[in-house]
């Protein structure tokens, strides 16, 4: 009773388990989920499974065999056995009997040539009445045949130390029963003597003791059967080399996982051969430490075979200079295993369910389903879905039982089962049930679906809370299916997946919260007959009969109802989306007019009187190849020396190759002997060096492409002349010996003579010209040319012209000339030209028209194709003369990039070797004989992005003030970003040698250049690496940078540990110093990392100080402005205006604006700065705010370009600091310490040191207003264009009148300069200084807009100095300086307190 009570309790818990089972599909699942909750009596699943299943057995005749089987169930199951699918009658069988545990015992196995009653497949069947039946896996009983040898040992001999193989092979099932004897004594295998799986005997490293009489024996349980005897003789060592031979090569094997595989490879020869093995052409490790073992005689043994071991094994035998190879395949087969087993299911009648079963194996297993021991035959209600799953539709009570999924392949089988329980509906609860739905009708009847509608029951006319179940079945079938409405109150449903021309019976049942009500009267509805359309035409085939045609054949559809009227053949070129069709009356058609060597897909649709049928599958065929229909492109010649010319070309256009290009045919000849033609067939390369030519001889070349069908059309003849002698091309040419210009109205005729040194190769001349500058336009001409006419010029204009000779090394020294074109009224230039310049012919009056429609097509990250049209050609754009085109291209980054050019003989050119993610501009000109066009309109193209090819640079690590466990990592973008940087990854670890996957990762999203890492361990060295990424992927990692965290947590001390590269690379140390203070208010740094807030008392002191100083400055400004009414004021304004141009200062028009500072310094020092990462750096004027309230902190939304120009500078930055030259040109500024009560100022740099001067040693002074940028740090010397670097001679020198050079003498900018700071005691070296910029009269003033591409001319500088000579009187300046020094002392005392 207790056990029964426990089972009832367990049954109540199975309701919860129900929803862990796979849910039934379709509407039946929705019905079941509602009704199962109301089940009043739930039956539990009964454990019923096999404990032991039979295994494959190998036996011999007369032996006894036990096939094991044991099943578990609460009720002891009845065990039966099947052999080859038929139940065995064990009651009257005296040889076979059933053991108590269910195993099968077979006594004295019977096996003969004609009688094999015991050999076969056995299966154990377990049955429990009223529950069901399960079947075991199938086991194979194999009985070894009569002892028989397939090969016998033969007498043989072996050299001492060699290897011998004695054959004695038997069938695979007898091989385990084979043994060997020597001199009729059992032979025990050892390290030298091996018995191979086939039965053969291998003797390696033979000795005299191995000689004897050998035979093999088969032990089959009775009297052994012996083979023939064979004598093995051992001969003395060989004295002369003997040829290498394989005595036993390896043979292919098939194994299961976990088994062993043995590959023999026995070789003989002298010297003794060395054996080694490879798998899939990779050397195998056979040192004895792994699963691969090299046994005696070169035998390879693979232990515990895995599926990954499958492949081709090659045995390589080497003896002296001889080598032999033999191959064998290892195939690994895997028995079926279950990835997903069927699960137990609860269901109601009329529901649909699915048993899921997923299996794997090699070969792929087949699956069949068994219900209660009987194979399930697929039908309308039992379907195999998704290859292996069993779907049961419209459940009935008899469907209950055990369902088993049985998977089988060539090497085994397996089974897994589940139980299905059909539950009875729970009785309705107390309350009224709905009556039958009314007026059930089929409103839409098709071939495979029906729509039913009805009215709510009379008992509930509204029917808002009613749900409906629709039961339907085929007429005459008692298996109903159910479909539920999707929401309460719905009175229609669509029944799908029906059979055409079939009668179905429908009934509708309404359901309320008390349960299901009465059923409606049955409604019979017949689906419509399906229109019989033709099926797919079978055996569709397509083959190409010529390069432009394909023939398609097919057969008449099998499922067509009625005569086929016609067919429609559809075809489409691969890669296109437009399909073409043609009507066909027969069973074949040839499509003509196709493109050569192009893939096409074809399909056929049959038509009858009802319309089009089912399409066939697509068949793909490629048209035959043909000779190319167009010549190669862009043939160019380059004379290498006096005996060779290099040809370069591009393949024919893709659509004209007509096949796979197999090579190119080059034809060349001397121009003087046109009948003498030489042919040279090259490979598929796109260049060829023709050697063995004659010196100083002109040759013509043409190239044609070849396919397997023949040679296509050739290019036009292109001519080049070899050098008279082998000239030097290790350096650039010298300057041309002369340059003459002859100006006309709209053109200038340029003529020249070559360089005097004729020993250097000259490949051409570059002519540059422009109004006032020769760099506006550049034209390149051939090395033979001695004159050129520059056309389309402006009349009465001054042009500067330059001429440079060039070769492959570069351009030589230029030669300059200038000329003024004549006015329109001058008509005598031609006559004068002819008379005065007889060496120069009259220019051609009709210039060439430039190419039009230039387009740039981006192909990859480094390749762009340029195409254009030539209006001077016919409409078909075919080139029939000797014209050629010059393509030039450049990028604007940096701005002074020179053009690159290339010549082409067709209307397109492939530009390669470009930089990724870079905007290029292209233009084209045409040259015909001595006439050339101007450059065409430009086309632009940006190459595709590429992964970054360099790591982030300037990685620095500093500790955060007040938080020693937090560090701040700063870096700069990679120099070769190759695209927009979308993020960074920071790796850090305490072990620099650890694997990269063991490092901690910190991702940084966007283009931020700083990041905080918190909760680090104190006094611990860390190593940091950074990796940049863009849309194409990750770039390389930076070098590891080391940083040691502070030893103890201290809030009043700033750690001075600095990052250093682990390999001598990495960070640049930046010492913040002990007096570093963050900006006011704890605002964020330029990159978003918060800094520590100041003490509130200090904040109050600073605010009061700012107010007092501001009032004092305003009073001084007001008093001083009222006093300045002398004539010096006017002169100063005039000087400022002359220097600054039209720049206007925002403020009172009476404010005095001092002149630009660079005028007042004795020396302008040019220093190189970094090239800007910004494509177009823009120099802007950004005024400093007039008071502290105008300061705008820099936040995270700062433009990405500004991020790229910051490194270790933390704290506030005003807009002024962002507009500096260093910021615009990507220079990394030094760490700057702004005053607490002042807007951040630009840094002043004067000594090459990285240390910071202690606060007590700093002498405050007025900061000089800077020329729009901080001075360059001395230790940083980036390369780039020079910029003005101002070094004043004294801290107060900029307020004094500079010395003017003597009248008439040249202006010498190289005057001595002194440090920017005031003089210090010798014991206190000056490194840096905190400064406050108080303008000339104690007010802040905007930075002067200084844009210095080069130093100003001497005359202009002298004039500026003279204009500003009397800007300040000495007495006035002395008073002003006294006031300023007092203010600075007060301010310094306040801030240091």
């Amino acid at each position: 009773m207790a056990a029964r009570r426990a089972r009832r309790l367990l049954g109540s818990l199975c309701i919860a388990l129900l929803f862990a089972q796979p849910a039934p599909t379709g509407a039946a699942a929705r019905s079941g989920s509602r009704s199962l909750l109301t089940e009043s009596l739930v039956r539990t699943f009964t454990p019923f499974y096999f404990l032991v299943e039979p295994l494959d057995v190998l036996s011999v005749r007369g032996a006894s065999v036990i096939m094991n089987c044991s099943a578990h169930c609460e009720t002891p199951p009845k065990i039966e056995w099947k052999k080859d699918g038929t139940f065995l009658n064990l009651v009257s069988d005296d040889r076979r009997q059933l053991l108590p545990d269910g195993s099968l015992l077979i006594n004295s196995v019977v096996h003969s040539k004609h009688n094999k009653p015991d050999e076969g497949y056995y299966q154990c069947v377990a049955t429990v009445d009223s529950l069901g039946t399960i079947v075991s896996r199938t086991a194979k009983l194999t009985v070894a045949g009569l002892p028989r040898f397939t090969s016998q040992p033969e007498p043989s001999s072996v050299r001492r130390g060699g290897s011998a193989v004695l054959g004695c092979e038997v069938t695979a099932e007898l091989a385990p029963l084979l043994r060997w004897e020597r001199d009729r004594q059992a032979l025990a295998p050892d390290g030298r003597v091996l018995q191979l799986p086939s039965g053969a005997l291998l003797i390696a490293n033979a000795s005299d003791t191995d000689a004897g009489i050998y035979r093999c024996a088969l032990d089959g349980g009775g009297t052994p059967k012996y083979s023939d005897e064979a004598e093995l003789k051992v001969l003395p060592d060989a004295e002369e080399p003997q040829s290498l031979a394989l005595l036993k090569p390896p043979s292919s094997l098939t194994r299961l996982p976990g088994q062993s595989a043995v590959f023999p490879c026995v070789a003989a020869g002298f010297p003794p051969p060395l054996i080694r093995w490879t798998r899939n052409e990779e050397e195998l490790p056979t040192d004895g430490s792994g699963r691969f073992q090299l046994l005696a005689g070169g035998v390879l043994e693979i232990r515990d075979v895995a599926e990954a071991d499958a492949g081709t094994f090659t045995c390589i035998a080497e003896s002296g200079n001889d080598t032999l190879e033999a191959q064998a395949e290892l195939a690994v087969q895997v028995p079926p295993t279950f990835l997903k087993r069927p699960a137990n299911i609860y269901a109601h009648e009329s529901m649909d369910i699915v048993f899921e079963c997923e299996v794997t194996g090699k070969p792929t297993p087949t699956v069949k389903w068994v219900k209660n021991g009987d194979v399930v035959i697929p039908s309308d209600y039992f379907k195999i879905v998704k290859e292996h799953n069993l779907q049961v539709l419209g459940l009935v009570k008899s469907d209950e039982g055990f369902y088993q999924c049985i998977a089988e392949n060539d090497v085994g089988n397996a089974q897994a089962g589940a139980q299905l329980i059909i539950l009875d509906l729970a009785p309705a609860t107390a309350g009224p049930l709905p009556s039958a739905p009314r007026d059930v009708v089929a409103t839409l009847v098709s071939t495979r679906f029906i729509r039913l509608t009805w009215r709510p029951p009379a008992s509930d006319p509204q029917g808002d809370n009613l749900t409906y179940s629709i039961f339907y079945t085929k007429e005459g079938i008692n298996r109903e299916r159910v479909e539920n409405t999707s929401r309460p109150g719905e009175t229609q449903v669509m029944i799908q997946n029906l059979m055409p021309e079939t009668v179905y019976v429908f009934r509708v049942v309404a359901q309320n919260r008390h349960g299901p009500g009465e059923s409606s009267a049955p409604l019979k509805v017949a689906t419509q007959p399906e229109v019989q359309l033709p099926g797919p035409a079978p055996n569709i085939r397509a083959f190409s009969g010529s390069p432009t045609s394909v023939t398609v054949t097919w057969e008449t559809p099998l499922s067509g109802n009625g005569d086929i009227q016609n067919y429609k053949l559809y075809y489409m070129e691969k890669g296109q989306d437009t399909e073409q069709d043609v009507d066909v009356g027969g069973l074949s058609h040839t499509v003509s007019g196709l493109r050569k060597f192009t893939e096409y897909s074809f399909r056929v649709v049959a038509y009858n009187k009802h319309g089009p049928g089912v399409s066939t599958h697509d068949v793909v065929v490629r048209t035959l190849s043909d000779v190319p229909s167009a010549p190669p492109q862009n043939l160019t010649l380059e004379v290498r020396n006096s005996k060779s010319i290099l040809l370069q070309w591009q393949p024919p256009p893709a659509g004209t190759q007509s096949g796979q290009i197999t090579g190119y045919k080059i034809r060349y000849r001397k121009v003087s002997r046109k009948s003498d033609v030489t042919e040279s067939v090259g490979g598929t390369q796109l260049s060829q060096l023709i050697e063995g030519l004659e010196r100083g001889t002109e040759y013509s070349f043409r190239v044609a492409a070849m396919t397997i069908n023949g040679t296509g059309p050739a290019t036009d003849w292109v001519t080049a002349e070899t050098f008279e002698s082998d000239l030097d091309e290790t350096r650039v040419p010298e300057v041309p010996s002369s340059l003459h210009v002859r100006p006309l109205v709209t053109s200038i005729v340029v003529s020249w003579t070559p360089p005097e040194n004729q020993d250097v190769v000259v490949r051409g001349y570059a002519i540059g010209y422009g109004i006032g500058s020769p760099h506006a336009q550049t034209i390149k001409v051939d090395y033979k040319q001695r004159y050129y006419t520059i056309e389309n010029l402006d009349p009465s204009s001054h042009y500067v012209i330059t001429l440079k000779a060039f070769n492959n090394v570069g351009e030589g020294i230029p030669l300059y000339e200038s000329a003024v074109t004549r006015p329109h009224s001058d008509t005598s230039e031609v006559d004068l030209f002819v008379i005065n310049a007889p060496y120069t012919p009259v220019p051609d009056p009709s210039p060439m028209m430039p190419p039009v429609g230039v387009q740039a097509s981006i192909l990859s990250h480094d390749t762009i194709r340029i195409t254009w049209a030539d209006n001077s050609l016919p409409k078909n754009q075919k080139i029939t003369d000797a014209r050629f085109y010059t393509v030039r291209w450049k990028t604007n980054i940096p701005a002074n990039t020179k053009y690159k050019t290339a010549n082409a003989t067709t209307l397109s050119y492939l530009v390669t070797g470009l930089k990724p993610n870079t905007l290029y501009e292209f233009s084209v000109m045409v040259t015909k004989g001595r006439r050339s066009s101007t450059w065409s309109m430009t086309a632009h193209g940006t190459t595709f992005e590429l992964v970054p090819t360099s790591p982030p640079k300037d990685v620095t690590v500093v500790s955060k003030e007040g938080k020693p466990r937090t560090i701040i990592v700063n870096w700069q973008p990679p120099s070769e970003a190759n695209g927009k940087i979308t993020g960074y990854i920071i790796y850090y670890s305490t072990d620099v040698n650890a694997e990269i996957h063991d490092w901690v990762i910190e991702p940084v999203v966007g283009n931020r250049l700083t990041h905080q890492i918190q909760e680090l361990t104190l006094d611990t060295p860390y190593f940091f690496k950074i990796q940049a990424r863009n849309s194409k992927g990750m770039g390389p990692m930076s070098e590891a940078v080391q940083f040691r965290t502070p030893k103890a947590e201290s809030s009043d001390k700033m750690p001075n540990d600095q990052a250093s590269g682990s390999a001598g690379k990495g960070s640049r140390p930046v010492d913040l110093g002990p007096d570093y203070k963050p900006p006011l208010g704890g605002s964020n740094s330029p990159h978003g990392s918060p800094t520590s807030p100041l003490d509130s008392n200090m904040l109050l002191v600073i605010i009061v100080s700012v107010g007092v100083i501001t009032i004092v400055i305003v009073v001084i400004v007001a008093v001083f402005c009222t006093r300045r009414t002398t004539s010096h004021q006017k002169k100063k304004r005039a000087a400022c205006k002359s220097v600054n141009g039209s720049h206007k200062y925002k403020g009172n028009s009476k404010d005095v604006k001092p002149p630009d500072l660079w005028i007042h310094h004795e020396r302008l020092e040019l220093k190189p700065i970094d090239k800007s990462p910004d494509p177009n750096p823009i120099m802007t004027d950004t005024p400093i705010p007039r008071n502290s309230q105008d300061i705008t902190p820099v936040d995270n939304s700062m433009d990405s370009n500004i991020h790229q120009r910051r490194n270790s500078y933390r704290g506030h930055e005003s807009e002024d600091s962002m507009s500096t030259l260093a910021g615009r040109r990507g220079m990394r500024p030094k760490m700057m310490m702004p005053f607490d009560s002042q807007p951040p100022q630009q840094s002043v740099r004067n000594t090459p040191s990285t240390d910071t001067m202690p606060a007590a040693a700093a002498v405050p002074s007025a900061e000089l207003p800077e020329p729009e940028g901080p001075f360059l740090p001395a230790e940083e010397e980036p390369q780039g264009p020079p910029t003005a670097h101002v070094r004043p001679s004294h801290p107060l020198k900029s307020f004094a009148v500079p010395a003017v050079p003597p009248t008439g003498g040249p202006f010498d900018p190289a005057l001595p300069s002194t440090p920017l700071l005031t003089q210090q005691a010798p014991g206190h070296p000056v490194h840096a200084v905190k400064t406050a910029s108080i303008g000339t009269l104690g007010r802040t003033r905007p930075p002067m807009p200084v844009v210095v591409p080069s130093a100003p001319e001497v005359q202009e500088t002298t004039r500026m100095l003279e204009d500003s000579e009397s800007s300040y009187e000495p007495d006035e300046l002395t008073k002003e300086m006294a006031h300023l020094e007092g203010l600075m002392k007060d301010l310094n005392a306040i801030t240091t307190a």
Side-chain angles (χ1 to χ4, degrees), residues 6 11 196 258 302 307 375 468 512 577 605 629 662 731 854 894 910 914 991 1023 1099 1114 1186 1215 1217 1236 1259 1319 1335:
L196 300 178
I302 307 172
E307 190 173 357
V375 177
Y468 298 91
N512 61 13
D577 53 5
V605 176
S629 58
T662 58
R731 52 197 175 103
V854 181
L910 199 67
L914 305 179
D991 182 8
F1023 299 88
L1099 183 63
V1114 170
R1186 294 179 177 270
E1215 295 179 1
S1217 67
D1236 297 335
V1259 178
Q1319 301 299 322

Side-chain angles (χ1 to χ4, degrees), residues 742-757:
R742 183 65 181 172
L744 303 178
V745 177
T746 59
S747 61
I748 296 177
V749 179
V750 183
S751 61
W752 61 89
T753 54
E756 294 181 358
N757 184 0

Side-chain angles (χ1 to χ4, degrees), residues 158 182 192-193 203-214 232 234:
V158 60
R182 181 175 62 204
R192 292 188 312 108
V193 180
I203 301 175
N205 193 16
S207 63
D208 293 336
T209 59
D210 294 324
I213 304 298
Y214 287 83
L232 175 66
V234 179

